[in-house]
């Protein structure tokens, strides 16, 4: 084992450190001291006499004659001129061996030469064809004569910033120079293409746009370097057609500028967006895009200077921006790219200076293969640094994701298509109480998830934790939908989970969340929403849902019964023994009722001691038996709470529900039956279908609908019942206004249901407002015909007194009829008056300001308290009719009425007795001292027109016995009617 580790370490040291260091040292030694195999020597630069052909093409002898006056130069720059050039030169006589003359300008298009002494043509050459002694060589041309002439004259055409020169070589050295040229070209092409392919493959593998951009930039940089060195005449060993050279150079430089700018913004766009150079650089980027159409449309001689003008400021801005990024962020990526752009900038600047002022010999080092290779190498270092930074970021992000995966409080998992777990995070392992593959807690020894057959034998399946159906459903759903969500239970049913999953790359990726507590809380909330927290039976909302579900079956002819239960004397338990005892009794009541129910029959608590039972598919005879049993169970045995026993009696109203009956109508009708059951001896009242109560309920609903419409008072009219004085029967004509209603068929309907419906729907004020306005209007219209009328009584609903709008409307109506308001006497029910004493006193004070009298109606039937009477400034006590009917048969009633009369006398009030039905009753009331009497003994209610022709209320009496009694009544006492009129 030790030798094995030692051997491995030695191999690592040798391959990683020693071999690379050795190769580097040998390479440095070779470059520094070894002889080069490709060094060519013996070249001589020949002076030239140059003439630009400005007019028609010259003959060789004429050109030679004009060249004779020219000074010789070693190099001649065309300065972008494309005019043909004539030049003459004299070869040197050198050592033995054949000599050749090279014309190295890479901008030469073609050349033709003659022997200056004889005028004999030596040959013609272009990059596409050649003849004679001239042929293409390297980036230019070479002349290989049989015998070197004493003087040569040549005519050549050039494009771009050409430099014309001639170099004499020994033939063998020229061959070596050509080999060196092609070797350097091959090295540049091969190195740059290999590097570009490497970057391109990296871009494709990593799917990184940056690397793809860099690969394109390297290829274009290769071509720009080839243009600089004169090697752009070929590509991948193949010569470019002569016609393609100039356009390809223009397009190459344009694309190189665009690619450079795009790569620059890709790397530093975010940093530059926050700098002051953001706008200028965007302008430079836009101008850079103009290079491509310029390269395609403009001649090369015009394009080239325009390109220099556009590119140079952009390069300067890019360099300044890079230095700014280096200064602020100290980024090595910016440093390497700054160096790369600096080399490129110097190379371009060298081109400009060379073409402009002819200083190529000073800047030749920069404008060479070195510039292209150096800028590419520096840019490669920048991209490598960028890759390193991105790798670091990726590793950091991956670490964060792994940490989040491990720390995520919800379970994350991956399944194959057979339900086997491929990976899981610790949260899921804790949820399922196991160790799964791919989890932080997984180990091969614990789970057997190594590899091979052992892993196959130890696979952990989804079905081990959840039922098989859930797996099949999950698998099918992820194939049908992009994302699915479903709830499922553990195999033991004790826990609930929520799973969200999707199908990705042939695997099921998902999230598992334990929602056991959430489900319990939801179920508890749902239970609380539909059930009473004390008794656990349904609340109003829950029983309404039960009713709605049961009512659906009515359409198919199935019966439905609803019972309303109210507990009697239950409030007494709460008041005497506290709510804790009352709550315990309610629980026991519900338990007793539940024992009588079966099937889908449900109890709902709709009030403090009120319950509703919905009995679907239960006919009314069976429902009656069940309710009879409930009544017996509720009241049959006492309820024991601690050491106390309580007796509770229940009243049940049972109805048969018809199809289409709403829940509220059913409960309202059952409640009405329950109220009747309270008065019944057996505590149960049953309304079968089509019972009278249903018709009454329907009529009440129709009245409510009418009252809520715009024609609420249509069909209403008034009748008047005389009120006779028992002191002076023939001296006054007083009466009470009674409301009547005419039905659609013209029949007179009782007003009681109308008033009840109005009070239930909050429209009592509409009725009272109409009665008040109609009464005062009638009195005002007939005031001259009512000389003996001292007061006209009208009832006010208790709901109207609590309606502020009605109170304000009453005062406005009284103000409009102020001249007859003093004849009005408003009757207020005693129980309503005492319910809100302050509000009642305020209303009485306001109406009495108009002279209106106030009577307390039904006095003695409510919660009479003598202490209240002194607080209410009433004028009349109207004794409740229950004390008057059959008064002679009940001596107690006589005593009560007599006490009320004495009380009224002492308080300065008058008394009116209603419901007097016979002469004997009137006689007794007169003897007791009652002031006025009203009832059928005097007269039934009459049309208002009957009041206009009568001299007094006594004129309506038809009872002979009472008529004989009238003189006796008149002598019984003297009623100071004028005093009554002065009250209030």
């Amino acid at each position: 084992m030790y030798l094995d580790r030692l051997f491995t370490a030695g191999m690592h040291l040798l391959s990683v450190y020693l071999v690379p260091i050795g190769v580097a040292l040998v390479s440095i030694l070779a470059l520094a001291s070894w002889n080069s195999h490709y060094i060519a020597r013996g070249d001589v630069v020949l002076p030239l006499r140059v003439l630009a052909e400005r007019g028609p093409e010259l003959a060789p002898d004429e050109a030679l004659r004009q060249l004779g006056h020219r000074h010789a130069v070693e190099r001649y720059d065309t300065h972008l001129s494309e005019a043909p050039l004539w030049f003459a030169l004299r070869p040197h006589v050198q050592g033995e061996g054949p000599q050749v003359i090279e014309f190295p300008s890479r901008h030469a298009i073609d050349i033709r030469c003659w022997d200056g002494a004889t005028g004999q043509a030596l040959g013609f050459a272009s990059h596409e064809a050649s003849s004679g002694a001239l042929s293409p060589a390297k980036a230019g041309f070479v002349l290989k004569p049989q015998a070197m002439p004493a003087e040569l004259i040549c005519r050549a055409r050039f494009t771009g910033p050409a430099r014309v020169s001639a170099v004499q070589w020994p033939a063998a050295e020229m061959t070596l120079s050509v080999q060196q040229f092609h070797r350097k070209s091959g090295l540049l092409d091969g190195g740059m293409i290999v590097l570009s392919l490497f970057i391109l493959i990296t871009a494709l593998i990593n799917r990184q746009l940056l690397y793809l951009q860099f690969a394109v930039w390297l290829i274009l940089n290769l071509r720009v370097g080839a243009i600089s060195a004169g090697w752009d005449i070929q590509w991948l060993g193949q010569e470019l057609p002569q016609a393609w050279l100039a356009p390809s150079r223009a397009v190459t430089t344009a694309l190189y500028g665009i690619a450079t700018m795009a790569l620059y913004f890709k790397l530093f766009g975010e940093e530059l967006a926050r700098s002051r150079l953001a706008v200028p650089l965007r302008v430079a980027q836009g101008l850079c895009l103009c290079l491509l159409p310029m390269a395609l449309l403009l001649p090369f001689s015009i394009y080239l200077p325009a390109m220099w003008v556009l590119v140079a400021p952009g390069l300067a801005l890019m360099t300044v921006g890079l230095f700014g990024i280096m200064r602020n962020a100290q980024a090595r990526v910016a440093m390497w790219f700054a160096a790369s752009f600096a080399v490129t900038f110097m190379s371009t600047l060298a081109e400009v200076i060379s073409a402009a002022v002819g200083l190529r010999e000073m800047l030749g080092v920069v404008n060479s293969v070195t510039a292209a290779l150096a800028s590419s190498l520096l840019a490669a270092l920048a991209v490598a640094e960028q890759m390193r930074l991105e790798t670091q970021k990726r590793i950091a992000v991956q670490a964060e994701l792994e940490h989040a995966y491990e720390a995520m409080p919800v379970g994350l998992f991956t399944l194959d298509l057979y339900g086997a777990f491929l990976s899981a995070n610790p949260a899921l392992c804790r949820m399922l109480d196991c160790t799964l593959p791919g989890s932080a807690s997984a180990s091969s020894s614990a789970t057997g998830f190594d590899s091979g057959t052992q892993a196959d034998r130890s696979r952990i399946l989804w079905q081990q934790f959840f039922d098989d159906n859930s797996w099949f459903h999950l698998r099918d759903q992820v194939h049908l939908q992009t994302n699915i969500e479903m709830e499922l239970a553990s195999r033991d049913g004790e826990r609930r989970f929520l799973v969200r999953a999707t199908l990705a790359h042939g695997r099921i990726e998902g999230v598992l969340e334990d929602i056991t507590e959430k489900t319990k809380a939801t179920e508890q909330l749902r239970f609380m929403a539909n059930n009473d927290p004390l008794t656990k039976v349904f609340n109003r909302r829950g029983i309404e849902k039960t009713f709605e579900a049961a009512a659906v079956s009515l359409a198919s002819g199935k019966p439905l019964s609803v019972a309303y239960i109210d507990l009697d004397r239950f409030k007494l338990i709460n008041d005497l023994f506290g709510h804790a005892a009352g709550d315990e009794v309610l629980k026991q009541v519900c338990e007793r009722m539940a024992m009588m129910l079966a099937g889908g029959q449900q109890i709902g608590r709709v009030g403090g001691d009120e319950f509703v039972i919905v009995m679907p598919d239960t006919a009314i005879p069976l429902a009656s038996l069940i309710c009879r049993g409930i009544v017996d169970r509720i009241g049959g045995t006492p309820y024991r709470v601690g050491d106390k026993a309580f007796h509770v009696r229940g009243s049940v109203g049972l109805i048969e529900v018809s199809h289409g009956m709403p829940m509220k109508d059913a409960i309202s009708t059952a409640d009405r039956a329950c109220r009747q059951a309270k008065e019944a001896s057996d505590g149960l009242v049953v309304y079968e279908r089509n019972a009278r109560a249903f018709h009454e309920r329907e009529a009440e609903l129709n009245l409510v609908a009418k009252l809520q419409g715009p024609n609420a008072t249509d069909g209403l009219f008034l009748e008047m019942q005389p009120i006779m004085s028992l002191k002076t029967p023939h001296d006054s004509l007083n009466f009470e206004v009674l409301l009547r209603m005419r039905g659609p068929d013209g029949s007179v309907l009782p007003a009681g249901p109308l008033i009840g419906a109005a009070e239930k729907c909050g429209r009592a004020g509409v009725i009272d407002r109409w009665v008040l306005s109609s009464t005062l209007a009638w009195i005002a219209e007939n005031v001259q015909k009512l000389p003996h009328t001292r007061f006209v009584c009208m009832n006010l609903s208790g709901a109207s007194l609590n309606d502020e709008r009605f109170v304000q409307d009453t005062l406005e109506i009284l103000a409009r009829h102020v001249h007859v308001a003093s004849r009005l006497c408003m009757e207020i029910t005693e129980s309503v008056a005492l319910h809100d004493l302050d509000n009642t006193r305020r209303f009485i004070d306001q109406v009495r300001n108009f002279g209106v009298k106030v009577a307390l109606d039904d006095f003695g039937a409510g919660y009479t308290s003598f202490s209240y009477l002194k607080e209410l400034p009433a004028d009349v006590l109207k004794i409740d009719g229950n004390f008057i009917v059959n008064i002679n048969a009940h001596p107690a009633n006589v005593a009560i009425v007599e006490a009320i009369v004495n009380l009224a006398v002492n308080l300065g009030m008058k008394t009116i007795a209603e419901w007097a039905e016979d002469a004997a009753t009137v006689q007794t009331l007169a003897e007791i001292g009652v002031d006025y009497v009203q009832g059928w003994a005097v007269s039934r209610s009459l049309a208002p027109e009957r009041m206009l022709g009568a001299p007094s209320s006594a004129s309506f009496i038809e009872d002979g016995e009472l008529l004989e009694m009238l003189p006796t009544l008149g002598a019984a006492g003297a009623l100071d009617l004028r005093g009554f009129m002065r009250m209030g």
Side-chain angles (χ1 to χ4, degrees):
M1 183 64 70
Y2 174 76
L3 290 176
D4 185 49
R5 288 199 300 268
L6 184 63
F7 179 74
T8 302
M11 292 292 291
H12 180 77
L13 177 65
L14 182 65
S15 60
V16 175
Y17 296 103
L18 296 182
V19 171
I21 292 174
V23 172
L25 292 176
V26 171
S27 299
I28 293 173
L29 178 63
L31 291 173
S33 60
W34 295 358
N35 293 326
S36 174
H37 183 67
Y38 293 99
I39 295 179
R41 299 179 178 84
D43 56 316
V44 177
V45 179
L46 302 177
L48 303 174
R49 288 169 291 149
V50 183
L51 171 67
E53 187 178 77
R54 302 298 181 184
E57 183 178 348
L58 299 174
D61 55 349
E62 176 62 24
L64 184 61
R65 185 184 64 79
Q66 294 185 22
L67 286 170
H69 304 288
R70 299 281 179 170
H71 295 288
V73 295
E74 289 188 352
R75 297 174 181 84
Y76 178 83
D77 291 302
T78 63
H79 301 292
L80 296 176
S81 173
E82 296 187 358
L85 293 180
W86 289 87
F87 52 89
L89 58 105
R90 293 179 182 277
H92 285 194
V93 179
Q94 295 185 341
E96 297 181 357
Q99 301 286 316
V100 298
I101 297 176
E102 178 191 8
F103 304 100
S105 177
R106 56 192 169 91
H107 295 286
I109 298 175
D110 55 43
I111 187 171
R112 192 183 298 272
C113 293
W114 294 267
D115 187 336
T118 63
Q120 181 182 359
L122 299 177
F124 167 79
S126 68
H127 289 287
E128 296 177 343
S130 63
S131 62
L134 280 169
S135 63
K138 298 194 286 187
F141 301 97
V142 65
L143 176 65
K144 300 177 180 179
Q146 294 290 337
M148 185 65 68
E151 185 177 17
L152 290 174
I153 182 170
C154 298
R155 181 180 184 273
R157 293 186 300 134
F158 302 88
T159 182
R163 167 163 287 188
V164 183
S165 63
V167 180
Q168 184 174 334
W169 292 87
E173 295 296 327
M174 179 61 190
T175 301
L176 191 61
S177 176
V178 171
Q179 292 176 354
Q180 184 182 23
F181 175 87
H182 289 294
R183 176 179 174 274
K184 290 182 178 179
S185 174
L187 286 175
L188 180 64
D189 284 0
M192 297 290 284
I193 289 174
V194 169
L195 181 60
S196 300
L197 287 175
F198 171 74
I199 299 297
L200 179 61
I201 293 171
T202 303
L204 294 176
I205 293 175
N206 294 280
R207 298 181 181 180
Q208 288 285 339
L209 182 61
L210 172 64
Y211 303 153
L212 179 62
Q213 286 182 271
F214 183 58
V216 173
W217 183 82
L218 283 176
I219 295 294
L220 292 171
N221 201 29
L222 163 66
R223 295 304 298 167
V224 170
I227 292 173
S228 178
W231 302 334
D232 62 320
I233 60 175
Q234 58 85 30
W235 173 248
L236 299 179
Q238 307 299 316
E239 286 193 10
L240 267 70
Q242 180 65 34
W244 283 37
L245 278 178
S248 69
R249 289 169 179 170
V251 171
T252 298
T253 54
L255 292 177
Y256 178 69
I258 295 172
T260 301
M261 187 67 75
L263 185 62
Y264 181 82
F265 273 96
K266 179 68 176 178
L267 288 167
F268 309 112
E270 293 183 3
E271 291 84 354
L272 293 170
R274 297 188 295 268
S275 70
R276 291 177 294 178
L277 296 176
V279 175
L281 280 170
R282 284 298 179 187
V283 174
Q285 186 181 30
L287 294 175
C288 197
L289 292 174
C290 299
L291 291 177
L292 187 58
M294 290 171 57
L296 295 173
L297 299 176
L298 297 179
F300 189 70
S301 59
I302 299 176
Y303 163 77
L304 199 58
M307 183 269 292
W308 287 332
V309 171
L310 292 179
V311 168
L315 278 174
L317 286 172
M318 292 165 68
T319 305
V320 173
L322 282 172
F323 280 113
I325 295 174
M326 291 170 58
R327 183 179 67 253
N328 297 330
Q330 298 181 351
R332 282 183 288 184
V333 177
M335 179 186 70
W336 292 122
F337 260 105
S340 175
F341 286 137
V343 171
T344 303
F345 180 72
M346 292 300 295
S347 175
T348 304
L349 187 62
E351 289 281 349
V352 176
I353 295 175
S354 173
V357 298
L359 296 179
R360 187 180 300 259
E361 59 277 355
M362 296 176 59
L363 302 170
V365 176
V366 176
N367 187 20
S368 65
V369 179
T370 306
L373 289 175
S375 63
S376 298
L377 178 61
L378 293 171
L381 291 174
V383 173
E385 178 64 19
Q386 182 71 17
M387 292 171 62
R388 186 185 70 83
L389 294 175
E390 290 181 356
T391 302
Q392 288 181 343
K393 291 180 181 178
R394 191 178 300 112
I395 292 174
V397 171
Q398 184 176 356
E400 291 180 2
L401 289 176
E402 290 178 355
H403 175 72
Y405 183 81
E406 299 292 336
M408 190 72 68
V410 295
L412 305 178
F413 64 86
T414 302
L415 301 173
D416 64 16
L417 296 181
Y418 300 97
F421 281 95
L422 301 178
S423 66
N425 70 337
L428 187 126
C429 298
R430 290 191 297 270
M431 288 181 195
L432 303 182
D433 193 20
C434 67
T435 302
L436 295 174
S439 66
S441 58
S443 63
S444 59
S445 60
T447 63
F449 286 90
D450 305 66
S451 59
T453 58
Q454 179 66 22
D456 295 336
R457 288 195 302 267
S458 305
R459 291 197 312 168
I460 297 181
L461 300 177
W462 176 273
Q463 296 91 321
Q464 294 176 229
F465 308 100
F466 311 102
D467 59 61
D468 297 341
N469 290 333
S470 70
W471 160 245
F472 295 135
H473 182 67
L474 174 65
R475 184 189 61 187
D476 295 342
Q477 289 300 310
V478 296
H479 283 86
L480 295 175
Q481 304 177 33
T482 304
N483 298 288
I484 66 111
E485 181 176 309
M486 56 182 285
E487 289 189 17
L488 64 161
S490 59
R491 273 198 172 272
D492 57 12
E494 293 182 358
R495 306 177 71 185
R496 299 285 300 179
F497 297 93
L498 175 67
V499 61
R500 301 182 184 91
T502 186
L503 185 65
H505 307 295
R507 298 179 174 185
I508 298 176
E509 304 284 350
V511 177
L512 189 72
E513 184 179 356
D514 189 340
I515 59 170
T516 304
E517 297 302 323
K518 180 180 178 181
T519 302
K520 290 180 179 178
T522 302
E523 291 175 352
Q524 181 65 21
L525 288 174
R526 187 179 295 113
F527 180 84
M528 293 175 63
N530 295 313
N531 293 77
D532 176 52
L534 174 64
T535 61
K536 309 306 179 187
V537 299
F538 282 126
N539 57 16
R540 181 178 291 274
R541 182 172 181 267
I543 204 65
E544 285 179 356
K545 289 184 176 180
T546 303
F547 178 88
E548 291 171 0
V552 175
S553 63
L554 289 171
S556 58
K558 294 184 178 181
L560 173 62
S561 300
V562 171
Y564 195 99
I565 299 97
D566 188 12
L567 303 181
D568 302 332
R569 301 190 302 274
F570 177 76
K571 185 177 183 299
L572 189 61
I573 298 176
N574 280 334
D575 293 342
L576 295 179
F577 300 98
H579 288 279
D583 292 346
E584 184 60 32
V585 170
L586 286 176
K587 293 178 184 179
Q588 295 183 31
V589 167
C590 290
E591 292 173 0
R592 293 187 185 187
M593 288 192 294
M595 293 175 64
M596 298 299 300
L597 304 180
Q601 298 168 347
Q602 299 292 340
I603 307 171
R605 185 183 179 194
V606 295
D609 57 352
E610 298 168 342
F611 301 89
V612 169
I613 300 178
V614 176
M615 293 180 279
D617 199 15
T618 305
I620 202 68
L622 176 59
S624 299
L625 292 176
I626 294 173
C627 290
R628 169 55 55 201
I630 289 175
V631 171
D632 293 341
R633 278 193 171 271
I634 291 176
T637 57
Y639 297 84
R640 296 198 172 274
V641 180
D643 58 349
K644 298 179 178 62
F646 303 100
H647 287 274
V648 176
R649 178 179 179 271
S651 300
V652 180
L654 176 65
I655 68 166
E656 184 179 8
V657 180
S658 58
H659 179 59
M661 178 181 289
M663 171 72 172
K664 61 179 182 179
D665 292 348
I667 292 181
S668 177
T669 308
D671 183 22
R672 178 181 298 182
C674 181
R675 290 197 300 270
Q676 290 185 7
K678 286 181 176 294
E679 301 174 0
S681 59
D682 58 355
L684 173 63
V685 171
V686 180
Y687 289 167
E688 296 186 9
R689 190 174 298 178
N690 298 322
R692 178 181 177 184
F694 289 107
H695 298 295
E696 291 176 355
R697 174 63 178 171
E698 183 179 1
E700 183 180 55
L701 292 177
N702 292 334
L703 287 174
V704 169
K706 176 184 178 182
L707 290 170
Q708 292 177 339
N711 303 317
T713 58
D714 288 357
L716 300 184
F717 64 96
L718 298 177
E719 286 189 347
M720 299 174 182
Q721 187 176 27
I723 300 175
M724 185 182 71
S725 171
L726 292 180
K727 309 297 182 181
T728 55
H730 299 286
D731 290 350
S732 62
L733 176 61
N734 308 307
F735 46 87
E736 180 180 359
V737 176
L738 300 177
L739 179 64
R740 297 290 183 265
M741 180 175 61
R742 200 175 303 280
D745 58 354
S747 61
V748 177
L749 304 177
L754 175 67
I755 296 173
E759 290 180 344
K760 288 182 179 179
C761 69
R763 300 283 286 176
V766 174
I767 303 298
D768 285 346
R769 191 179 295 109
W770 182 86
V771 172
L772 175 63
S773 179
S774 300
T775 299
L776 288 174
W778 183 84
I779 295 174
E781 182 181 355
N782 300 286
V783 65
Q784 300 299 328
K785 299 178 182 179
L786 301 170
H788 304 293
T789 299
R790 303 292 182 261
F791 60 90
V792 177
C793 294
M794 67 162 286
N795 271 293
L796 284 183
S797 168
S800 298
L801 287 179
N802 296 318
D803 185 351
E804 287 295 330
R805 181 178 176 184
F806 171 78
V807 173
Q808 294 300 320
D809 290 345
T810 297
L811 299 179
E812 292 177 5
I813 294 172
L814 291 174
R816 291 199 304 268
H817 301 89
V818 66
H819 60 293
V820 294
S822 59
R823 300 199 184 195
L824 188 65
C825 179
M826 291 185 176
E827 297 183 5
I828 302 174
T829 303
E830 176 200 7
S831 58
V832 174
L834 301 183
H835 178 71
D836 189 348
L837 191 61
D838 293 336
N839 188 50
T840 304
R841 185 190 301 111
R842 183 168 54 254
F843 176 77
I844 291 174
D845 290 340
Q846 289 174 326
V847 298
R848 292 185 71 181
N849 290 333
F850 291 94
V852 177
K853 301 169 187 63
V854 177
L856 291 182
D857 195 15
D858 298 332
F859 189 82
Y863 308 96
T864 303
S865 175
F866 292 155
S867 62
Y868 288 142
L869 291 178
K870 65 180 180 181
E871 302 293 337
L872 293 175
D875 302 296
V876 179
L877 294 181
K878 197 167 186 180
I879 304 170
D880 184 67
N882 289 311
F883 296 116
I884 308 302
V885 175
N886 299 323
I887 188 174
N888 293 321
H890 302 283
N893 287 355
V894 176
I896 292 171
V897 172
E898 187 174 4
I900 292 174
V901 171
N902 292 332
L903 176 65
V905 171
N906 291 330
L907 294 176
M909 300 179 183
K910 301 300 179 183
T911 54
I912 300 176
E914 54 185 354
W915 296 10
E917 297 181 352
D918 52 41
T921 299
V922 174
Q923 178 67 40
T924 302
L925 294 174
E927 293 174 353
I928 291 174
V930 173
D931 297 307
Y932 294 91
V933 67
Q934 176 183 355
W936 288 358
V938 178
S939 175
R940 294 175 180 268
S941 59
L942 304 171
E945 295 78 12
R946 295 283 302 275
M947 298 295 108
L948 300 179
S952 67
S953 299
S955 59
F956 297 102
I957 297 174
E958 297 179 355
D959 186 343
E961 184 180 354
L962 183 55
L963 286 173
E964 294 178 359
M965 193 188 302
L966 286 182
T968 305
L969 295 178
L975 172 62
D976 187 4
L977 195 58
R978 288 186 297 272
F980 174 74
M981 297 296 296
R982 291 194 300 268
M983 288 176 56

